[in-house]
Amino acid sequence: MVSVHGDHAADGGLVRAGAKAAQAELLPLKILVAGGFGVGKTTLVGALSEIPPLSTEQEMTSLSEGIDDTSAVPDKTTTTVAMDFGRVTVDDALVLYLFGTPGQSRFWFMWDELARGAVGAVILVDLRRIDECFAAVDYFENRGVPFVVALNDFPGTEGVDDDAVRDALAVPPGCPLVHVDARDGTSCTAALISLVEHALAEAA
């Protein structure tokens, strides 16, 4: 877990974004972390949250066989069945509340409720299973919710051309595309910086 207090990247990006958004009163911002099954949403929330993250991870059972494809993540034994929750305090004026969505399509009915009031979303992508993130891109684009596409650097995904990924996902012009390691709080913070600045630009 990581707090952005004292973090240089946060001071250079999130604090500036918070200063633009609120001068005196505390401004809580709701941010979604979305994407397909097993892309690292729970890991990202845990890497960023300054509090012990709330997780609804449950053991996967034989009932998921043939439904959840674990071939790319053979060590995965649990799955999120409701949401993940974490908090990041930027400064006295800005607090980010992170909500991780469930990845399996059978739980997508919860996305509408989780997305209510969100200022934006970080869409995590596993480039080994790029087709599984199309639904998330379409979801937020159709609802006019600002988002960034965060490519989670799984082994074997090095050297992929960003422009090719942008074209494959039909990412709108101006939508940030960033690389992250969901286990690393610094790179995840950079993704939040991009999202907050993008959301503020969209609002302006």
Side-chain angles (χ1 to χ4, degrees):
M1 295 186 293
V2 62
S3 170
V4 299
H5 284 297
D7 183 272
H8 177 72
D11 287 343
L14 283 175
V15 170
R16 287 199 304 272
K20 294 177 183 177
Q23 295 297 327
E25 295 183 0
L26 177 65
L27 178 65
L29 296 182
K30 180 180 183 181
I31 291 175
L32 297 191
V33 180
F37 170 72
V39 296
K41 299 181 295 296
T42 299
T43 301
L44 185 148
V45 172
L48 283 171
S49 181
E50 66 195 17
I51 61 173
L54 169 66
S55 177
T56 58
E57 290 271 287
Q58 296 293 323
E59 291 289 330
M60 297 175 65
T61 68
S62 59
L63 294 176
S64 67
E65 294 180 5
I67 300 175
D68 299 325
D69 182 7
T70 61
S71 58
V73 282
D75 296 330
K76 185 173 179 59
T77 59
T78 62
T79 187
T80 299
V81 297
M83 68 174 185
D84 300 307
F85 174 77
R87 185 186 71 199
V88 180
T89 299
V90 178
D91 57 20
D92 292 338
L94 183 62
V95 177
L96 307 180
Y97 294 100
L98 309 178
F99 290 80
T101 66
Q104 299 97 318
S105 58
R106 61 185 178 277
F107 296 130
W108 283 355
F109 68 91
M110 299 184 61
W111 282 36
D112 285 339
E113 193 62 35
L114 290 174
R116 194 183 307 276
V119 299
V122 175
I123 300 178
L124 267 182
V125 175
D126 181 351
L127 289 176
R128 302 169 302 176
R129 300 174 289 142
I130 194 169
D131 57 309
E132 295 185 13
C133 70
F134 291 144
V137 172
D138 288 343
Y139 180 90
F140 294 109
E141 188 173 7
N142 290 338
R143 286 160 178 78
V145 177
F147 63 90
V148 300
V149 173
L151 309 181
N152 198 3
D153 290 331
F154 283 100
T157 62
E158 302 86 356
V160 177
D161 183 72
D162 287 356
D163 290 335
V165 174
R166 184 179 291 274
D167 290 341
L169 293 176
V171 176
C175 175
L177 189 150
V178 299
H179 287 262
V180 302
D181 180 338
R183 302 164 299 181
D184 176 58
T186 300
S187 70
C188 295
T189 297
L192 290 186
I193 292 171
S194 294
L195 174 61
V196 172
E197 292 180 341
H198 178 53
L200 287 173
E202 290 285 300

